[in-house]
Structure formats: C-alpha cells, structure tokens
Amino acid sequence: MTTSTTAVQGDDLVPGHGDLSYGVSHYDLDLTYRHVGNHLTGIATLEVVVHAPTSVLTLDLYALRVSEVRVDGVRSPRWQHRRGRVSVRFDEVLPVGRQLSLVIRYAGTPRMVPGPDGEVGWEELSDGVLVAAQPYGAPSWYPCNDRPSDKATYRISVRASSAYVVVANGTLTERTSRASTTTWVYELPQPMASYLATVQIGRYVTTPVPGTDPDMVPVAVIHPPGHRAGVAQAFGRQAEMLSAYSSIFGPYPFAGYTVVVTDDPLEIPVEAQTLSTFGSNYLRTDWNAERLIAHELAHQWFGNSLTAARWRDIWLHEGFACYAEWLWSEWRWSHGSGGSPATTHAVAHWNRLRRLPQDLVLADPDARTMFDDRVYKRGALFLHTIRITVGDSAFFEMLRSWVADHANGSVTTEDFIAHAADRLGSRLPELADAWLYEAELPDLPVSRRPVPEEDSG
C-alpha cells in the first residue's frame, strides 16, 4: 500500500494545483470584504473525504495569510503555508473514506494567480470586484482543492458595504443589513468545481430579462444603473435562448441564471456556475456579441453541470458551447428571425481552420493551447460531423441523454465516445479518432441541409 506524504498531482496542465488524495464534499465560506484597501477576511470550512491513504492534506491558497487551521474542531499545530499551498500534516495515516472537517482562518489583500494563461482570479475593478477563476484562479480568494474533477456543494456568505450588491453562485437565501454593512448568503446544492465559484461586487441594480414568465427559470441581469437601455437591447433574447437550449439539451440544470455586467470593459466574458459576467463593452446587438451571450449560457449545461474531469478535455466545454452558438443561430433561422443554419457556420469555420497550422490534437492540448480558438471550433465541427453522419433525430437524442446521464458530474473524452458509440453505432470511434486524436483537419461531410450565401461571422 502506497501512502501519500505530499500532494498527489491534481492535473497535468495546471501543475501545482489540486490533490487527488482527497475530495471536498462541501465548502462553507464566511467572508468579510473591505473595499478600502481591497481587504478580505475569511473563515473557510471544508468537509473532506479521503480518497487514498495519506498523512497530509494539501490545499491551494495564493497570497492570503493563514492564521489558524482546525481539524474536527481541534486546533492543528502541524500546518504550513508556502508557495500558494497549505499543507496539514497528521500523526496517523488517514484511511480511504475518512471524513474530516477543516476550518481555515485567513486574511489579506487578494491577488490574481499567475500562470501560462495569464493572471486570473479575484480582480479589483474601478468600483467593485469580480472573480473569473478559470482555470487556476480559485485560490486567489479561498482555500480549495483546485482541480476540475473535485466538485462540491457551496454556501457563500459575504459581508460588505451596504452601498454595494454582492452576487455569488446559487440562490440568495439570506440578506441581512446592520449599520453600514450587509451580509449576503448564497447556497448552491448542486456540486461545482472550484474554478467556477465566484463573487461579484458592485453598485448594481437588477433588470428582469424580457420574456421571462413566472413558470420559467428566473433570469436576471445585474448591472450599473446607467446601462439599463444597453442591457435591454443586448439581453433582450436571453429568455428565448434559455427556452431554445432547454428544448435542445434538456431542462436547465440549476434554479436560476444571472448575468452580471460590469461598468469596466472586459476582454472576454466569463461563465461561472449559475451566472456569467460581461463587460459593458458587450452591450451590443451584433452577432459577435450575441453569440457570446449564447455561448456563456450554454456553459451551464456543458462545463458547469457536466464538467471535464481533466483540463485536456476542455473541448467538452468549449466545443459544445461553440456548437451551441451555431444551434442558436439555426433556431433563429428556423423561426424566421435572422440567423443561419449550423452548416453555414460549420463550412465557414472549417475553411478558416484549414488555413491555420495543423498541429493541435483536440483531445490532448497542452497548457499553451487548451484555450486556443481551434479547440472551440474544431470541437464544434466534430459535433456537427456526428450530426450530419447520423441525422438530426439520433444526434439530438444522443445529446440530451449525454446531458441527462451525466448531470452534475465529471466527464472525460472517453466517456463521451463510449456514450455516443453506444447510441449511434460503430462509425463513431472512427470519426472520433480523426477529429480528436489526429492533428490534420478531417474533411467536413456534405450536409443535407441548405446553406445560405451569407457569411456566418
């Protein structure tokens, strides 16, 4: 029997994060944020289950200072916090299945976490905060087992100035004001990967999305007061998008969906579980803005409910969300409100990809290329190829069963191939080999659907 005395590497593409020797079933985060000085104080309670015999549990926490660690209510004398990792050592070997409660007290000025994809995590805005943690920024604000395969339920409590609105994952269950501060409590009963946890703080108001009725999943946009008109235009079809995706993929997987629009411009929008964040520069009505609104919503199914167990399988998020953009365009086209069939987008992007270097293997990117646009587009093209090969009825039935069978779970490329092959037949592995494991771009099969002349963008 091998016993771990150091962290067992969590993921090859994000080294130095995560520990496979244990998992977290629940996070309870009690936070106090002071805007002056960007100061955060936290008490994190983690319910832990041991997965492999070990005498040390290692958590990820960047820059912030730990003052105390307790194990099952008892103050631990054997912990250290070095180089972004908190190691808690035990006198005994913890057996598989052992359950523990860890309480970590910490404080300081949050800083974004550097890495090969740039700095990510807790970001101070001109007047507020956002957290965009994909793929390694979660330790910028709370101690966690930072690997995508470790999903847990969450309770997030944030105390901040009453001048600000606080938004986090899940449902707002409590809001209490005292003197000049307000405490906001959010709870998420569905398990979530650490990088998807978020806190958004700003001087915001709430606009219900047009077209949402009492029987639908509640959808809202939270934004600075001066952006009401832009929000109404840019997100005017958000409820219709949710209805379309629910009919295509299956029921929306969470209790509600919130979009946060910051006053600051953002380079890209970012999804988190139950919410997405857009900069004010996306309050537009052109296709490039609309497709990203559709893309981030689709991640609630592909990325948040179904989460890749390994970062090398990121195409299971981005390829599916990119294809969802094309499906939204096709939905509009089929309902006579603009848009184009998915085939129009597929042909345009296949032509673009064939002019780019043929050196990316979709199911095995490295840290430098896992968010390469070719991952997004080639993943979408693979899905479109399956659809053209087997027909709409079989394809969409397979897609809905994929979502239903793996809801709130962790998935791999091998899981998808097995699922699709079981429902679509023996041709699937052959297609998968060409699209997922070979660098050369395969031919796109001829579609039986009409292709309009206009460019998909």
Side-chain angles (χ1 to χ4, degrees):
M1 178 180 70
T2 301
T3 300
S4 172
T5 57
T6 59
V8 180
Q9 177 68 50
D11 193 281
D12 292 343
L13 296 192
V14 183
H17 288 246
D19 186 343
L20 291 171
S21 66
Y22 74 97
V24 182
S25 61
H26 182 71
Y27 289 89
D28 191 311
L29 307 178
D30 187 353
L31 310 175
T32 298
Y33 181 64
R34 190 175 69 239
H35 288 76
V36 178
N38 185 34
H39 189 272
L40 184 68
T41 302
I43 303 173
T45 302
L46 285 65
E47 303 302 329
V48 168
V49 180
V50 176
H51 293 330
T54 184
S55 59
V56 60
L57 300 178
T58 302
L59 298 88
D60 302 288
L61 184 66
Y62 181 75
L64 300 164
R65 299 182 305 277
V66 175
S67 59
E68 182 181 73
V69 175
R70 287 183 174 269
V71 180
D72 291 337
V74 178
R75 186 165 184 165
S76 172
R78 299 189 62 196
W79 62 270
Q80 64 178 9
H81 187 195
R82 300 174 61 185
R83 298 175 182 170
R85 312 214 77 183
V86 181
S87 298
V88 184
R89 298 189 177 276
F90 298 85
D91 294 329
E92 59 178 344
V93 175
L94 302 176
V96 174
R98 172 74 180 273
Q99 298 182 24
L100 302 165
S101 180
L102 300 181
V103 177
I104 299 95
R105 291 180 178 267
Y106 61 101
T109 300
R111 301 198 337 243
M112 299 177 76
V113 181
D117 200 48
E119 292 187 325
V120 292
W122 185 284
E123 181 176 358
E124 187 179 15
L125 300 173
S126 56
D127 189 19
V129 167
L130 72 80
V131 174
Q134 188 179 28
Y136 41 71
S140 66
W141 66 286
Y142 73 104
C144 57
N145 190 2
D146 192 32
R147 55 183 174 87
S149 58
D150 193 31
K151 301 179 72 169
T153 58
Y154 278 74
R155 178 185 178 274
I156 302 173
S157 172
V158 183
R159 186 178 301 105
S161 166
S162 296
Y164 293 85
V165 169
V166 176
V167 186
N169 309 87
T171 301
L172 178 65
T173 58
E174 185 180 338
R175 177 181 172 183
T176 307
S177 295
R178 181 175 297 175
S180 61
T181 64
T182 298
T183 300
W184 307 71
V185 180
Y186 289 84
E187 296 189 48
L188 182 66
Q190 295 89 2
M192 173 172 68
S194 56
Y195 80 92
L196 291 167
T198 189
V199 171
Q200 311 282 328
I201 304 174
R203 299 180 189 269
Y204 295 139
V205 296
T206 301
T207 295
V209 169
T212 304
D213 64 54
D215 296 327
M216 289 181 61
V217 171
V219 184
V221 184
I222 296 177
H223 58 89
H227 291 302
R228 286 189 187 275
V231 163
Q233 282 192 321
F235 293 93
R237 306 191 76 142
Q238 184 78 91
E240 185 184 353
M241 282 183 189
L242 192 145
S243 177
Y245 284 170
S246 296
S247 69
I248 296 170
F249 307 137
Y252 179 76
F254 307 112
Y257 181 60
T258 300
V259 170
V260 176
V261 177
T262 69
D263 213 11
D264 300 55
L266 300 180
E267 182 180 356
I268 57 172
V270 182
E271 105 276 0
Q273 196 152 311
T274 73
L275 63 89
S276 299
T277 307
F278 289 77
S280 56
N281 49 315
Y282 287 98
L283 297 180
R284 314 189 312 261
T285 57
D286 59 273
W287 170 245
N288 275 330
E290 182 178 335
R291 72 175 182 85
L292 290 172
I293 292 172
H295 183 104
E296 303 309 332
L297 175 60
H299 273 313
Q300 299 305 318
W301 286 265
F302 307 109
N304 300 346
S305 179
L306 280 67
T307 306
R310 310 168 303 207
W311 285 114
R312 72 167 63 97
D313 295 322
I314 191 63
W315 81 272
L316 291 170
H317 299 186
E318 303 303 348
F320 280 69
C322 182
Y323 195 56
E325 299 172 25
W326 304 353
L327 293 176
W328 165 245
S329 175
E330 184 167 281
W331 176 277
R332 289 193 59 181
W333 173 74
S334 67
H335 287 73
S337 60
S340 306
T343 292
T344 303
H345 299 273
V347 170
H349 287 294
W350 185 87
N351 282 323
R352 289 171 185 161
L353 286 189
R354 70 176 178 173
R355 295 192 293 267
L356 297 176
Q358 304 295 304
D359 59 357
L360 181 140
V361 175
L362 183 58
D364 192 25
D366 56 25
R368 178 183 56 85
T369 59
M370 66 174 167
F371 293 109
D372 190 301
D373 190 58
R374 291 173 294 172
V375 170
Y376 294 53
K377 301 305 189 294
R378 183 161 174 160
L381 287 168
F382 174 45
L383 294 175
H384 190 68
T385 297
I386 298 174
R387 178 184 175 186
I388 296 305
T389 302
V390 305
D392 281 8
S393 178
F395 174 77
F396 287 111
E397 182 181 348
M398 179 276 295
L399 202 56
R400 284 188 289 271
S401 62
W402 169 245
V403 169
D405 291 357
H406 297 276
N408 299 315
S410 298
V411 291
T412 65
T413 294
E414 292 79 9
D415 291 334
F416 177 72
I417 295 171
H419 180 94
D422 182 58
R423 286 153 181 81
L424 302 179
S426 59
R427 286 209 59 189
L428 198 283
E430 179 185 344
L431 292 176
D433 285 344
W435 282 95
L436 296 174
Y437 298 110
E438 300 293 335
E440 190 72 23
L441 182 69
D443 290 337
L444 192 66
V446 176
S447 173
R448 296 182 292 273
R449 302 177 65 85
V451 183
E453 293 295 329
E454 65 266 21
D455 182 24
S456 66

